[in-house]
Amino acid sequence: MTDKPFSKSILTRRSMLKGAAGVTAGAGALLLNGTAPMTFTRDAWAAQFRNDPGNNPTVKFGFNVPQTGPYADEGADELRAYLLAVKHLNGEGDGGMLNTMKPLSLKGNGILGKKVDFVTGDTQTKSDAARASAKRMIEKDGVTMFSGGSSSGVAIAVQSLAQEMGVVFMCGLTHSNDTTGKDRRRYGFRHFFNAYQSGAALGPVLKDEMGTERRAYHLTADYTWGWSQEESIKNTTEGLGWETVNTVKTPVGAGDFSQYITPVLNSGADVLILNHYGKDMVNSLTQAVQFGLRDKQVNGKNFEIVVPLFSRLMAQGAGDNIKGILGSTNWNWTLQDEGSKAFVKSFGQEYGFPPSQAAHTCYVQTLLYANACEMAGTFYPPEVIKALEGFNFDGMGNGPTLYRAEDHQCIKDVLVVRGNANPSSQFDLLEVVQQVPRSQVDFSPTLFGGELGPYEV
Amino acid sequence: MTKQPTARNDLLLMAVFTLAILTMPIWAAPFGAGYPDLLQKFAIYGLFAVGFNILFGLTGYLSFGHAAFLGVGSYTAVWSFKLLSMNVIPAVIFGMMTSGLFALLIGYVSLRRSGIYFSILTLAFAQMSYNLAYSVLTPITNGETGLQLAIGDARILDNMFASEAATAIPATNLFGIEMSGYPGFYFCAALLIIGFYIALRITRSPLGTILKAIKSNQNRMNYTGLNTRPYTLTAFVISGMYAGLAGCLLAVTDPLAGAERMQWTASGEVVLMTILGGVGTLLGPVLGAGIIKYFENIFSSYNDQVLHGIFAFLPDPIENVLVAITGLFVGDGWHLTLGALFMVIVIFLPGGVIEGFTRLYSWVRAKVKQDAGGNSVNNGKSQPQSAE
């Protein structure tokens, strides 16, 4: 990879344009607030960048989550986590993971002495709407970082916007290989695991439980995440010796999956793999169970259903149907490490129920960004990005974790879970089958290709 | 309805319109809408609605599938960025050409029917295009993820003159002026003004008269021996090209094309815009587009925290009740507010916001005349007329 941020021709033309843009933006801000924008900071390198909080007493974050659409439940939980993170960063509440995160530069008085403020937006789980909402946050509200998303399609669209605009985007829940693979961006970071890691973690467990002679049928959400999960799981299971009978794409938010499930009955498959998420997964799983798939015997074996990406919120929606079903997850609230316990405690005190994995990853991402700013001593994005790249941390619920510099992917443990047959409470829905160590789910950053792009935009 | 549009009035209208559009960054700021992205959306969807109105308002054909052309325009523009050049001129030209071609094909078939059958046909075509873009033509459209630029794109024209390979995705530009932020808005605004002028000229032209005649009674037109189909097809293609241009501009200001732009909800949106603003008027669709985009972007961003800020001056219990009630209508409930507004307008002002303005204007004028003591003939109950 070659970084040439200062090639001559680009510098002159672009900086001219940027200057012009800066003047326009400055004039706009002057009209809006009646105050001159502060462009002077104490650091020599931090000449000028978009949405510099300057001498403002606050720094603003944007939380862009799906409030409507098939992933609305996840979005609502993400928003709760963001509000909690802001509280903890500002030194309110019990501090949550700030007490367990190592190494920690934050002092519990905001970031670099500035209190954290925030704005929210609705992505509608649509790329267009998400970008419009993100642009509002960047252009109107002046956020220095934005975060969110419950769909990889949206995350990828918004991440490339982050690169164009020069504002850091901390991905929320996005599981597609492409997010930090072929569509990776310098200004985008992902804490959540990816489909490849789901496959790597699930593989040995599937082999133990179901053997090596199985016939799999995939139903796949028809967008980047579904495609990449289907591919990863297919590679894993075919590596075990399984046969793939068929892969069928279903539209996102279809609601009724009966027309896709009926053909499974007569296909000769004995495993159904549901590459669905959110309400889609709740609906498809419920219908699959209603159609009696799990009571069937095919090829002399019990018919099994696998949901490679599982979450407690979905388990809640699917009710009894999830009992005994295998899947993988980024994090579960029943984990007993210090970080998870601290987070579950403060989230529970605030809202009265435990957080989901979506909430966890969003909370952690906000803290990680804040910590990187504190480490870098500035909000200047290239310095913050460099602080995050290659950052090793612990105490945030997933064991020792590395923010890989090459693709901005966190490398950490992955959980293989099963729908709890005898839940002790309405939230105790997933039992952890195995905490797959980080070394087993590691992969080469060049596996999916892609280029991060420049630091300076 | 007595006032005939004169050349002078049209000139005045154009001048006021131009001034209003160009100064939008200033007067939209107090409403919280003075930021480039929303201003661009105002201009782009204004253009979309102006073009839609040529078909719906002028010719009387209600198309429920106009978003298909919007999408075609977007995809073409992004492909032009990917293959040819990041300059927006080829993108705009090719986008309009392909959407015009699509409109010719769809229009040729759909215009064999009129009324509700025409609407359903266009809806079917649009839904077909959407599904093609969504799942069948994924190599061209990249499905749900949306078509995006990449560092390694061909960009044949650009690379002929470039000395070295790009290290970042270049920005869309107009001969070096980057098309994001305010320059992007002014580019869209200029095209909106040109588009508005062309729509005005069409309305005043003999073609416009024939289109109006088709709207009022197509059978009579046929009986007089005039074949109306070429005229309706012309209107359809022009209208489709407007939509294509709007789609191009969406890609110009934000180089990404997604299939959801072609969904039936997007087609429905432009119908709402036109009806909300005033069907058949020139200004109405632009106003309607502005109102809907404003609701979508600003109302949806209000959360409970913002509301608490607004009502902070009230005692706590009242504040909480008010926040709880208004909270239903903002944030993710903005559709509710829009629906309520739409109902109010359709019931009380069938001519849209423009009719509201006209009524207000004639009421004020009557009031002024009365106060002046003159025995005015106009008693304030003058017929609502469509503003031109």
Side-chain angles (χ1 to χ4, degrees), chain B residues 199-266:
Chain B
L200 180 78
R201 294 311 307 159
I202 290 176
T203 312
R204 302 282 182 259
S205 70
L207 172 67
T209 316
I210 289 180
L211 294 180
K212 272 184 239 171
I214 291 173
K215 183 185 182 182
S216 63
N217 194 336
Q218 185 163 195
N219 279 338
R220 190 179 290 171
M221 293 293 287
N222 286 327
Y223 292 153
T224 54
L226 186 98
N227 183 6
T228 52
R229 196 163 299 147
Y231 295 98
T232 48
L233 190 59
T234 311
F236 193 86
V237 171
I238 291 173
S239 171
M241 284 170 81
Y242 267 87
L245 175 61
C248 281
L249 292 180
L250 283 176
V252 162
T253 52
D254 191 358
L256 167 128
E260 67 255 40
R261 270 180 205 165
M262 298 175 126
Q263 218 175 353
W264 63 272
T265 45

Side-chain angles (χ1 to χ4, degrees), chain A residues 239-256:
Chain A
L240 298 176
W242 293 20
E243 188 187 333
T244 307
V245 180
N246 200 358
T247 58
V248 175
K249 310 273 189 293
T250 63
V252 181
D256 180 14

Side-chain angles (χ1 to χ4, degrees), chain B residues 173-202:
Chain B
N173 62 71
L174 178 69
F175 304 112
I177 309 169
E178 278 187 39
M179 284 291 112
S180 54
Y182 283 104
F185 163 68
Y186 282 111
F187 182 67
C188 299
L191 286 174
L192 171 63
I193 292 164
I194 296 170
F196 186 80
Y197 181 72
I198 293 174
L200 180 78
R201 294 311 307 159
I202 290 176

